[in-house]
Amino acid sequence: MPPPSPHTPLFAVSGATLVAAPLRPARRTAPRGPYARLFAVPGTRAFTAANLLARLPMGMFGVSAILMISAARGSYALAGAVTATGLAATAVVGPWTARLVDRHGQGRVAVPAAAVAALGSLALVLCVRWDAPTWTLFAAYAATATTPNTGGMSRAHWAHVLRGDPAALHTANSFEQAADELCFMLGPVVATFLCTAVRPEAGTLAGAGLFLTGVVLFAAQRRTEPSPAAAARAGRSPVRGNPALAVVLAAFVCTGAVFGSLEVVTVGFADALGNRPAAGVVLALQAGGSCAAGLLYGLVRPRGPAAARFRRCLAVMAALAPLPLLAAGTGSLLAVSGALLLAGMATAPTMVTGMNLVQSLTPAGRLNEGMTLAVTALLTGIAAGSAAGGWTVEHGTPGHGYAVAVGAAALALVTAVAGRGGPRGGA
């Protein structure tokens, strides 16, 4: 007798009568990808959506300030210096804000810190609008230094809900980096449109409103929020006695200089060609290349120590950094756009690997502070790169400003390779 097929009826008993009951084939659950599995975890969609709303303005503030100040005062050097001052102030205040977050919880600290930062943005708009003395621009933008590290807080949520699953955490960090790049892809486009098509101050005002709303919604997601850590009460910085982390942060400073210089130089280059509104689209292409690379990198299982992968990623970034400089020599904004797209593809893998390394080197209970130190290092570099790029655009050929990014990328690689006591392991 042949074996029954999956559709062969079985016999069930109904009273005293045998009744044929068809066997339904078992349903098979289609395998889901790594990203789908991430968002199957309860609460992750809510905190991610709120955090994206809070993070989008991060890609708007710098470009909005540059466009607003340069339009009102006619100086890219001043615009670059003001944004550099604000970023430098954030680099100083940010770690203290993060320590308060670790100590008291995200919900209790993030909202008041975001409110103070939003008031600083509003003050900058008023100073520009009413032609206040130049020093007030620096003071107002410095008041935004309390801006909480929304990306770091989101990564802390993932680390909390995915603890004990390094592969899933790698995918989550890749998604977070792609989300960063998405915000820096859309942010400049939105900011440029608002500042050029509406009013020069519209980008800053819209960014402040979105940012404060997003932080309030994010702070309400208590289900996935990590608990305040007693370890955060210790006053010692995670960098002290940790030369490996110090080397990574130093490399992040140089990497930030790449980002900061590219932003100012690209705006100046587009303006020199008489196509200033296109600057946001060009910068979006760079972030778009990084976003795509980040999502693809999240699907790849990392191999080897994170420190070695970090150095390899920095080497690729240094190799691609000269492309915008070479393209600028053609005098074509289209060529620069393509070069920035290709160069941007090295950004996300570098940042994902670097952030994984920072997480592995940060003591338990100090994750927000460790991640904020990484962002602080980036902001310090962005401030330096923004000022150097603005000075180059002001005093030389705008296209030559891309040389600042080339030098910064090379220095990042040298720092990671030659740093004394640098990182040699990592997950």
Side-chain angles (χ1 to χ4, degrees), residues 263-410:
E263 185 174 271
V264 177
V265 173
T266 299
V267 173
F269 184 75
D271 196 12
L273 296 177
N275 198 0
R276 195 184 205 201
V281 178
V282 175
L283 291 171
L285 286 174
Q286 178 198 3
S290 182
C291 179
L295 290 174
L296 291 174
Y297 191 62
L299 301 175
V300 177
R301 186 178 182 85
R303 294 182 179 180
R309 287 187 279 116
F310 183 54
R311 288 189 285 266
R312 288 196 296 268
C313 289
L314 287 173
V316 174
M317 187 175 71
L320 295 178
L323 292 180
L325 177 62
L326 297 174
T330 67
S332 169
L333 191 60
L334 182 62
V336 169
S337 301
L340 286 171
L341 174 65
L342 292 175
M345 298 186 74
T347 301
T350 302
M351 296 307 304
V352 171
T353 306
M355 288 296 186
N356 283 339
L357 195 53
V358 169
Q359 287 180 350
S360 68
L361 295 171
T362 301
R366 306 293 289 273
L367 185 57
N368 277 299
E369 187 175 356
M371 299 298 289
T372 300
L373 285 172
V375 174
T376 295
L378 287 170
L379 290 177
T380 302
I382 290 173
S386 179
W391 187 92
T392 305
V393 170
E394 190 82 11
H395 296 88
T397 304
H400 291 165
Y402 287 114
V404 176
V406 176

Side-chain angles (χ1 to χ4, degrees), residues 68-69 73 78 82 85-86 119-144:
M68 178 175 63
I69 295 171
R73 303 297 175 95
L78 175 61
V82 170
T85 299
L119 288 175
S121 294
L122 178 60
L124 177 66
V125 171
L126 293 175
C127 290
V128 173
R129 176 71 174 145
W130 297 105
D131 198 23
T134 299
W135 67 266
T136 63
L137 306 184
F138 291 91
Y141 209 60
T144 65

